[in-house]
């Protein structure tokens, strides 16, 4: 392989790894929904580069020997400077203030533009190489995609050992090396730039930027407490874990107003700046005892479980509660390995109970897939608390919550002993949403399980801030009902669901402003829940594996009504996550149009087949991104870890696409036309829509290595075929209209930008299969355009 | 009719104040508009509360860069992840605890100091605790400068202010995931505690806690971020 291809591979790897590092940085300083923005930003840089090349193609080709190293050094410099320092700039932006301060949108736009700079410079290099090596486009595209694929794995590996804010400078090094590989000998100015880049990189490595946290992040607020300081920190691809000590923090969520005992202080753990758990300084059992005075004490009041499964066990207080209440066999499952490692090493005395007690077995595993691989049954299964204090503002709307889907409930039900209990707690929100969606999920699950009278299986207690549901596999006995009543009376909670419950009992201690919660709850569990789904302001339909966004309640249909009811500007208050997604989509689309398409208008449309060029390459950009993001989402549950899924899917698709591109070079355009290639992808996507779900479900019990191997096997054919249409189309275009190649690339980039954000929006509204369907339709459009592309271009 | 009466009363209350402060207070008109459109129009009726809100210069409690938004119907950030509450929220929280001159009220979370100033303007004896030291220093200095008699302390609100207890009411402006037992202990028999449940910039519900005959009960009053839910229906 020639030196240019090596340089291309290095650059491509660095750019993809940079995206992962930036995603993690923004997840820490703001919230994780900016991950989608990073993908759009990168693609924006790529699209803009295509446009610039369209405007300066002959000049760029003429000066390529100097331009390539120049751009690589500038890219390395921008990575170390712009990417390294952008999070600091991003500190001026705050998600929570976006709806209130127009300036915030400008800060967001400034960050988008600044961050797109290294991607723009890198993409200029890639674009020049594509044009200069158009005759060998397959091999060039292969080096690009193969390098990108390896970059995904590299990013994942680096995030295991380094804080994300350190990575931009580190990743600038391979880009600098790529520049040196292409540096003509004895060119003093370029050598000077190389030295400047190296100096900046070394400075960035020695003085990494401080990641500014939103003032509304849990971690920031904890650090504002007096005498507060970080005492330990760990990194892994799952996120950054931080332990903060301060005299103030205590933990007793939803504690009874009648509790009069001590509430011991402790330290706080944060994952990516969000609250992860509480670590009592003194005694776990004492702190866990407090949970008995919250509605979470209900299952232990109803029954005496001997075996307990705690899913997403956090810092282990729920396991300690089970131990306190006499459980003999407790299995705690927590996916966050870095957090567990921090607990074990930094809190050996207080958290020791979590690791050393023979009754508790701790597994670092994905909780949703655990029941499928575990052979035991349990008297009680406890899920983590849903929502946040006072209800969320929608920042969780884009989070996949696989523990809270209908399918998950069915699996947990199967793991229960004949008299076992499933226990769920939710924060009460206003207007009520999360507790109602939980009830809807329970109702639909019970219906599918053939339970004729759900009221005999359900108990629920409501405090001033939380509600705890207990679903019993067998009907509740009169003694258990009496126990639940006594528990509520003792701690001044109101029973919300119990066999034989009277209306007056439901609001004895904690009155609500109206009966909405009770009316809707009863309707969902025992009445016409379809009518409630249809009429309520928020979407209460249960989350499913196909659409696992439990905290997404927005309904487009009721937007005008919501606006009337809550006033102007109220929507962001309840659906902030969705708003940020839409804002990102709009801003990046606007930037894409301005930076990619408008400049191209200067050179105008020349030649034939313009609509076909736009249709073909635009549809490919959209289709590829929709496929990629839908598949990442699809594999999160299967591979048990979002970052693992992203790395496996991105790396496999890119490497396979690279191989497809390389193979396309050997194929005759007569035998495999762009049109045929696009329709092959359509057929494959159709197969994935129909077969992927059942296939993944049937093989989810395989060991991790087996699942990863199967994922590679499943994704490779699609990735290979996804890599064919673009170089085939580009080759054809180059043969007939070489000046239109950058145009095609720009259009492809612009639609990719749109596709990145659009895919998630479609997923939360309609599900992953609909995203795949949209991707298939995009490839149908590409296939249809390809026919026109050939016809027009073949015209003299 | 009652609303008309209150509006007239309010206008009368404001007349001398406006004549006195207008040259030095360019926000007097905005403040009056705030009281009329955000308080009276939404059902705040307590004359003492309305008088206090008409008097206290809210713009002094926000950053200079955000003063133009001080009287808008929204919370505003004051740094350290804290906010000055939406004006209507302050009005509602003040009215609901029925402040009367001579009462003793504990505030947990001084923040900007605005709520404490409104309570002090009602003539009650205010004790206020702020856990974030820079905020505590800033609000203490400002309250002193503006002449409000508020006892302030920088520290953990968890323990309340036992030396000054019992209190007729407790106003918790920075709510936590649990209500500290010492605060309930320091509440007089029949006393009220008001707490906004939820975080700023989202839908919050005001919760009223009442201590009576050894038992503590709560009442979720209504969502207060915007016009109450039922009013719009």
């Amino acid at each position: 392989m020639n030196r240019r291809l090596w340089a291309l591979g290095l650059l491509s790897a660095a750019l993809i790894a940079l995206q992962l590092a930036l995603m993690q940085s923004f997840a820490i300083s703001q919230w994780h929904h900016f991950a989608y923005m990073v993908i759009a930003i990168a693609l924006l840089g790529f699209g803009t580069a295509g446009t610039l090349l369209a405007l300066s193609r002959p000049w760029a080709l003429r000066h390529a020997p100097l331009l390539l190293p120049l751009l690589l050094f500038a890219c390395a410099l921008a990575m170390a400077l712009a990417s390294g320092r952008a999070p600091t700039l991003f500190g001026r932006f705050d998600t929570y203030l976006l709806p209130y301060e127009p300036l915030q949108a400008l800060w967001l736009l400034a960050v988008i533009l600044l961050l797109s700079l290294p991607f723009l410079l890198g993409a200029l290099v890639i674009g020049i190489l594509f044009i200069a090596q158009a005759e060998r486009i397959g091999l060039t595209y292969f080096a690009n995609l193969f390098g990108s694929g390896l970059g995904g794995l590299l990013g994942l590996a680096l995030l295991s050992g380094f804080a994300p804010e350190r990575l931009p400078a580190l990743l600038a090094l391979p880009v600098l090396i790529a520049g040196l590989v292409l540096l003509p000998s004895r060119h003093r100015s370029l050598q000077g730039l190389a030295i400047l880049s190296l100096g900046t990189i070394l400075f960035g490595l020695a003085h990494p930027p401080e990641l500014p946290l939103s003032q509304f992040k849990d971690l920031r607020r904890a650090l504002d407490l007096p005498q507060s300081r970080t005492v330990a920190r760990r990194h892994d691809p799952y996120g950054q874990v931080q332990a903060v000590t301060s005299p103030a923090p205590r933990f007793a969520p939803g504690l009874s107003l009648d509790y009069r005992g001590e509430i011991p202080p402790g330290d706080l753990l944060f994952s990516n700046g969000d609250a992860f758990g509480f670590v009592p300084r003194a005694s776990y059992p004492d702190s866990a005892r407090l949970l008995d005075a919250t509605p979470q004490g209900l299952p232990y009041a109803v029954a005496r479980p001997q075996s307990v499964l705690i899913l997403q066990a956090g810092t282990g207080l729920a396991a300690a509660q089970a131990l306190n209440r006499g459980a003999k066999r407790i299995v705690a499952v927590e996916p966050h390995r870095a957090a567990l490692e921090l607990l074990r090493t930094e809190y050996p005395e207080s958290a020791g109970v979590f690791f050393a007690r023979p009754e508790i077995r701790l597994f670092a595993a994905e909780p949703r897939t655990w029941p499928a691989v575990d052979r035991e049954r349990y008297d009680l299964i406890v899920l983590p608390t849903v929502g946040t204090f006072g209800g969320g503002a929608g920042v969780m709307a884009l989070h996949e919550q696989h523990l809270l889907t209908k399918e998950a409930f069915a699996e947990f039900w199967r793991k229960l002993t004949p008299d076992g209990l499933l226990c769920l707690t939710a924060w009460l929100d206003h207007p009520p949403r999360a507790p109602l969606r939980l009830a809807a999920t329970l109702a639909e699950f019970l219906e599918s399980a053939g339970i004729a009278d759900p009221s005999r299986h359900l108990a629920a207690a409501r405090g001033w801030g939380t509600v705890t549901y207990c679903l019993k596999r067998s009907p509740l006995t009169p003694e258990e009902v009496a126990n639940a009543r006594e528990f509520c009376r003792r701690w001044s909670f109101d029973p919300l669901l119990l066999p034989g419950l009277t209306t007056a009992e439901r609001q004895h201690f904690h009155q609500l402003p109206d009966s909405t919660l009770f009316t809707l709850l009863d309707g969902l569990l025992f009445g016409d829940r379809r009518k409630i789904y249809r009429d309520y302001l928020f979407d209460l339909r249960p989350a499913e594996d196909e659409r696992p966004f439990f905290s997404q309640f927005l309904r487009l249909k009721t937007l005008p009504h919501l606006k009337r009811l809550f006033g102007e500007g109220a929507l962001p208050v309840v659906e902030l996550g969705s708003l940020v997604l839409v804002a990102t989509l709009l801003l990046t689309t606007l930037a894409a149009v301005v930076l990619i398409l408008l400049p191209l208008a200067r050179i105008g449309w020349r030649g034939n087949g313009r609509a076909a060029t736009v249709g073909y390459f635009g549809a490919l950009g959209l289709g590829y991104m929709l496929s990629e993001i839908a598949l990442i989402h699809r594999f999160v549950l299967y591979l048990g870890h979002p970052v693992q899924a992203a790395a496996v899917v991105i790396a496999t698709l890119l490497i396979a696409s690279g191989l497809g591109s390389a193979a396309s070079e050997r194929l005759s355009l007569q035998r495999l036309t762009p049109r045929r290639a696009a329709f092959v992808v359509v057929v494959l996507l159709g197969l994935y829509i129909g077969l992927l779900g059942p296939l993944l479900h049937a093989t989810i019990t395989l060991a991790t290595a087996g699942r990863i191997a199967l994922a590679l096997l499943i994704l490779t054919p699609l990735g290979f075929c996804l890599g064919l249409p673009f170089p085939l189309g580009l080759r054809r275009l180059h043969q007939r209209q070489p000046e239109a190649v950058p145009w095609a690339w720009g259009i492809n980039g612009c639609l990719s930008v749109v596709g990145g954000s659009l895919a998630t929006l479609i997923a939360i509204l309609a599900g992953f299969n609909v995203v795949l369907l949209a991707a298939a339709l995009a490839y149908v459009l590409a296939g249809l355009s390809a026919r026109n592309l050939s016809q027009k271009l073949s015209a003299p | 009719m009652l609303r008309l009466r209150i509006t007239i009363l309010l206008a009368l209350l404001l007349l001398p104040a406006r004549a006195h402060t207008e040259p030095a207070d360019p926000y007097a008109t905005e403040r009056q508009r705030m009281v009329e459109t955000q308080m009276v129009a939404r059902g705040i009726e307590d004359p003492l509360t309305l008088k206090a809100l008409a008097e206290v210069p809210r713009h002094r409690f926000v950053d200079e860069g955000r003063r133009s938004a001080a009287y808008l119907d929204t919370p505003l950030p004051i740094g350290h992840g804290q906010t000055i509450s939406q004006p209507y929220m302050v009005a509602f929280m003040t009215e609901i605890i029925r402040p009367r001159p001579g009462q003793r009220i504990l505030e947990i979370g001084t923040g900007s100091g605005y709520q404490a100033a409104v309570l002090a303007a009602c003539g009650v004896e205010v004790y206020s605790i702020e856990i974030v030291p820079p905020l505590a220093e800033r609000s203490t200095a400002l309250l002193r400068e503006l002449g409000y008699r508020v006892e302030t302390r920088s520290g953990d609100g968890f323990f309340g202010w036992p030396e000054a207890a019992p209190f007729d009411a407790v106003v918790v402006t920075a709510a936590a995931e649990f209500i500290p037992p010492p605060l309930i202990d320091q509440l007089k028999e029949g006393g009220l505690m008001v707490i906004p449940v939820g975080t700023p910039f989202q839908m919050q519900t005001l919760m009223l806690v009442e201590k009576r005959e050894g038992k503590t009960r709560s009442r979720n009053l209504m969502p207060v971020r915007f016009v109450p839910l039922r009013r719009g229906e």
Side-chain angles (χ1 to χ4, degrees):
Chain A
M1 205 190 286
N2 69 33
R3 287 197 301 177
R4 284 186 168 184
L5 294 185
W6 278 109
L8 179 58
L10 278 174
L11 171 67
S12 306
L15 290 179
I16 288 287
L18 178 67
Q19 285 183 52
L20 289 178
L22 290 175
M23 283 179 190
Q24 193 81 300
S25 290
F26 289 136
I28 293 169
S29 74
Q30 293 280 315
W31 282 271
H32 84 292
H33 37 245
F34 288 99
Y36 308 103
M37 184 180 82
V38 172
I39 295 174
I41 285 171
L43 294 168
L44 180 66
F46 275 73
T48 312
T51 296
L52 288 176
L53 288 175
L55 296 170
S56 60
R57 187 172 171 275
W59 180 86
L61 279 177
R62 212 167 43 246
H63 296 93
L66 285 182
L67 258 183
L68 289 171
L70 173 76
L71 288 168
L72 283 164
F73 295 146
C75 178
L77 195 63
M79 279 172 79
L81 271 179
S83 305
R85 303 291 148 179
T88 314
L89 177 70
F90 204 46
R92 291 173 180 270
F93 169 79
D94 206 301
T95 306
Y96 271 85
L97 302 182
L98 187 61
Y100 302 97
E101 299 186 352
L103 200 62
Q104 293 293 326
L106 287 181
W107 278 118
L108 184 58
L109 189 61
V111 171
I112 289 172
L113 295 177
L114 183 71
L115 273 182
S116 66
L117 191 62
F119 296 103
L120 164 67
L121 292 165
L124 281 171
V125 173
I126 297 171
I128 292 172
L129 289 173
F130 271 31
I131 304 167
Q133 313 219 137
E135 287 306 317
R136 306 194 66 199
I137 188 70
L139 207 53
T140 311
Y141 202 44
F142 163 76
N144 172 224
L145 292 181
F146 198 82
S148 301
L150 291 181
L153 301 177
L154 174 76
L156 200 58
L158 288 175
L159 284 172
S160 304
F162 294 92
E165 63 268 29
R166 285 180 168 271
L167 293 186
L170 192 63
L171 291 167
L173 272 175
V175 181
L176 182 71
I177 293 168
L180 292 172
V181 167
L182 299 183
L183 183 66
S185 56
R186 290 193 296 280
H187 199 290
R188 284 186 180 277
S189 314
L190 281 180
Q191 283 168 354
L193 184 58
I195 291 167
L196 177 66
S197 301
L198 181 63
T200 312
I201 290 169
L202 293 177
F203 178 80
L205 288 172
H207 305 281
E210 275 282 308
L211 263 190
L213 294 170
S214 159
Q215 58 172 314
F216 300 103
K217 288 283 272 197
D218 299 327
L219 174 59
R220 179 71 262 159
R221 289 153 81 115
L223 289 171
D224 277 335
L225 295 174
Q227 300 166 52
S228 170
R229 64 194 166 85
T230 299
V231 287
R233 205 189 295 254
R234 298 285 187 280
H235 307 281
D236 78 357
Y238 207 82
Q240 178 175 274
V241 193
Q242 232 168 303
V244 172
T245 191
S246 161
R250 292 173 175 81
F251 182 77
L255 184 69
S256 163
L257 298 176
D258 284 341
Y259 180 83
R260 285 292 171 277
E262 286 289 309
I263 305 182
D267 289 0
L268 295 168
L269 253 56
F270 299 87
S271 172
N272 280 351
D274 298 323
F276 175 81
F278 176 82
V279 192
R281 246 171 253 136
S283 153
Y284 254 62
D286 283 352
S287 285
R289 210 156 282 133
L290 286 175
L291 295 179
D292 294 336
T294 72
Q296 292 180 65
L298 179 65
Y300 298 100
V302 167
R304 296 277 173 270
Q306 295 299 298
S307 55
V308 180
L309 172 63
I310 317 272
L311 293 172
Q312 213 163 303
T315 54
L317 280 172
Q321 183 191 18
L323 193 66
N324 279 348
R325 302 304 298 258
K328 299 285 179 267
R329 185 166 60 85
I330 301 157
V331 171
V333 182
E334 171 52 48
H336 208 318
R337 287 166 199 272
L340 292 178
E341 201 270 330
L342 189 148
L343 266 180
R344 194 174 52 77
T345 51
E346 301 291 332
Y347 298 93
E349 286 178 20
S350 60
V353 64
F354 201 21
F355 298 95
R357 287 292 296 247
E359 297 94 330
I360 301 178
R361 282 185 300 151
L362 176 64
F363 294 92
E366 185 56 38
R368 171 59 201 278
T369 47
W370 178 259
V373 293
D374 177 32
R375 298 193 183 283
E376 308 285 333
R377 284 173 180 259
Y378 300 90
D379 297 333
L380 173 64
I381 297 178
V382 181
L383 297 188
T385 300
V386 177
T388 51
F389 170 58
V395 289
M396 291 286 287
L398 311 183
H399 258 296
E400 294 171 34
Q401 291 168 283
H402 290 286
L403 282 181
L404 300 174
T405 65
K406 253 187 345 186
E407 293 88 340
F409 282 21
E411 283 178 33
F412 303 149
W413 180 260
R414 281 194 290 273
K415 300 302 292 179
L416 292 174
T417 52
D419 293 321
L421 288 163
L422 175 65
C423 173
L424 308 111
T425 298
W427 283 101
L428 288 161
D429 48 6
H430 308 278
R433 284 158 286 163
L436 292 176
R437 181 170 269 171
L438 272 186
T441 314
L442 289 169
E444 290 212 6
F445 159 68
L446 286 169
E447 188 179 88
S448 66
I451 304 291
D453 184 1
S455 68
R456 296 174 63 207
H457 295 259
L458 281 166
R462 181 176 64 87
W464 60 270
T466 62
V467 55
T468 294
Y469 293 100
C470 282
L471 170 65
K472 187 161 178 264
R473 197 167 168 139
S474 59
L476 290 157
T477 64
E479 189 193 351
E480 288 165 341
V481 173
N483 288 343
R485 274 207 167 82
E486 173 53 25
F487 167 76
C488 289
R489 194 205 55 75
R490 164 72 184 86
W491 293 114
S492 301
F493 298 136
D494 292 318
L496 183 63
L497 293 169
L498 269 183
L501 191 67
T502 63
T503 308
E505 281 181 278
R506 278 179 147 181
Q507 290 202 74
H508 186 65
F509 294 107
H510 305 286
Q511 286 180 22
L512 293 177
D514 55 42
S515 59
T516 306
L517 176 72
F518 308 114
T519 311
L520 292 174
L521 184 77
D522 292 344
L524 289 166
L525 285 166
F526 316 118
D528 184 359
R529 61 175 170 274
R530 306 268 153 355
K531 184 175 183 309
I532 295 173
Y533 294 161
R534 203 171 52 239
D535 297 342
Y536 192 47
L537 291 171
F538 297 97
D539 185 358
L540 295 180
R541 289 172 301 151
E544 297 170 5
D545 283 351
E546 163 67 13
R547 208 174 58 101
F549 303 97
F550 183 89
S551 301
Q552 203 282 325
F553 299 98
L554 185 68
R555 294 181 72 193
L556 294 177
K557 209 172 85 178
T558 58
L559 279 182
H561 189 54
L562 275 173
K563 206 170 147 189
R564 271 201 308 278
L565 206 55
F566 297 118
E568 279 294 334
L571 274 178
V573 171
V574 282
E575 294 291 352
L576 193 56
S578 307
L579 173 93
V580 169
L581 181 63
V582 172
T584 306
L585 175 65
L586 292 178
L587 285 175
T588 50
T589 304
L590 175 75
V593 169
V594 171
L595 295 176
I596 302 172
L597 293 186
L598 286 187
L600 287 173
R602 270 196 66 200
I603 59 170
W605 286 104
R606 284 199 299 265
N608 294 320
R610 288 170 291 190
T613 307
V614 171
Y616 184 74
F617 290 100
L620 290 188
L622 195 62
Y624 197 103
M625 282 311 295
L626 291 174
S627 310
E628 184 177 288
I629 291 186
L631 289 168
I632 292 173
H633 282 302
R634 261 263 173 250
F635 276 88
V636 168
L637 173 59
Y638 187 68
L639 297 174
H641 196 302
V643 182
Q644 200 161 306
V648 168
V649 172
I650 291 175
T652 312
L653 282 186
L654 290 177
I655 291 172
S657 296
L659 292 171
S661 302
S664 76
E665 220 174 49
R666 301 207 168 93
L667 296 169
S668 145
L669 277 174
Q670 272 71 41
R671 288 181 59 192
L672 184 64
T673 61
R675 181 175 168 231
R676 281 184 196 152
F679 282 123
V680 168
V681 174
V682 174
V683 172
L684 270 180
L685 284 173
L687 286 173
Y688 279 58
I689 291 168
L691 300 177
L692 191 59
L695 181 63
L696 297 185
H697 185 74
T699 55
I700 203 162
T701 51
L702 288 174
T704 307
R707 275 177 286 140
I708 291 176
L710 196 61
L712 298 180
L713 210 61
I714 293 169
L715 292 167
T716 301
L718 180 66
F720 185 88
C721 294
L722 284 172
L724 293 172
F726 186 78
L728 287 173
L730 219 55
R731 240 168 86 197
R732 172 149 293 177
L733 199 62
H734 185 258
Q735 284 173 358
R736 313 287 166 89
Q737 267 187 303
E739 70 281 2
V741 168
W743 248 110
W745 209 46
I747 289 159
N748 184 267
C750 185
L751 267 293
S752 301
V753 174
V754 178
S757 304
L758 192 63
T760 306
L761 199 60
I762 298 174
I764 61 172
L765 292 174
F768 302 140
N769 265 347
V770 177
V771 184
L772 280 178
L773 187 66
L777 288 176
Y779 277 94
V780 168
L781 177 66
L784 296 174
S785 305
R787 197 175 61 174
N788 298 334
L789 185 79
S790 308
Q791 282 172 352
K792 301 269 179 164
L793 287 174
S794 55
Chain B
M1 196 59 200
L2 181 64
R3 188 167 296 172
L4 177 68
R5 244 187 9 243
I6 289 166
T7 310
I8 293 168
L9 170 70
L10 190 68
L12 289 172
L13 284 170
L14 285 173
L15 271 177
R18 286 179 68 193
H20 174 70
T21 58
E22 206 155 81
D25 185 358
Y27 294 93
T29 313
E30 276 189 63
R31 192 158 58 246
Q32 187 189 2
R33 194 181 308 126
M34 171 192 83
V35 172
E36 286 168 2
T37 59
Q38 297 175 37
M39 318 301 167
V40 178
R42 289 181 186 168
I44 302 293
E45 296 173 346
D46 177 38
L48 203 55
T49 303
L50 291 171
K51 178 175 175 290
L53 284 154
E55 275 178 18
V56 179
R58 182 175 160 92
H59 61 277
R60 294 295 308 276
F61 294 86
V62 304
D63 298 339
E64 280 199 37
R66 291 197 166 95
R67 282 193 177 169
S68 59
Y71 295 95
L72 297 182
D73 186 19
T74 180
L76 290 169
I78 56 169
H80 304 276
Q82 305 296 318
T83 57
I84 178 171
S85 297
Q86 176 198 18
Y88 175 67
M89 166 96 82
V90 176
F92 196 93
M93 287 175 73
T94 307
E95 183 179 65
I96 200 74
I97 55 167
R98 302 188 286 269
R100 290 293 170 261
Q103 283 186 340
R104 186 172 282 197
I105 293 179
L106 173 66
E107 184 193 31
I108 305 298
T110 318
S112 67
Y114 181 62
Q115 175 75 71
V118 169
L119 289 170
C122 291
V124 302
E125 210 176 310
V126 186
Y127 294 79
S128 186
I129 306 174
E130 171 57 53
I131 196 166
V132 180
L135 285 179
E137 283 165 29
R138 198 167 69 192
S139 53
T140 300
L142 183 62
L143 287 166
R144 192 173 302 138
E145 183 194 327
L146 294 175
Y148 292 107
R149 286 191 53 201
V150 177
E151 293 292 324
T152 57
R153 176 184 279 183
S154 176
D156 188 354
F158 177 86
F159 302 102
W161 200 312
E163 309 90 279
F167 297 98
D168 295 283
V170 178
V171 176
V172 183
T173 57
E177 291 184 349
F178 63 95
I179 294 159
L183 298 187
I184 293 174
D185 291 339
Q186 289 169 30
L187 200 58
K188 272 184 188 168
E189 169 67 18
L192 297 170
M193 181 188 294
V194 65
I195 303 167
V197 178
T199 48
F201 300 111
Q202 69 178 59
M203 202 63 76
Q204 289 183 305
T205 304
L206 275 187
M207 188 172 83
L208 191 68
V209 175
E210 193 168 3
K211 183 175 166 184
R212 203 172 286 280
E213 293 159 8
K215 274 283 183 188
T216 315
R217 289 177 164 79
S218 83
R219 191 147 56 97
N220 276 25
L221 300 168
M222 64 172 115
V224 286
R225 174 63 186 85
F226 291 90
V227 182
L229 187 66
R230 296 168 72 80
R231 196 176 288 267
E233 286 171 333

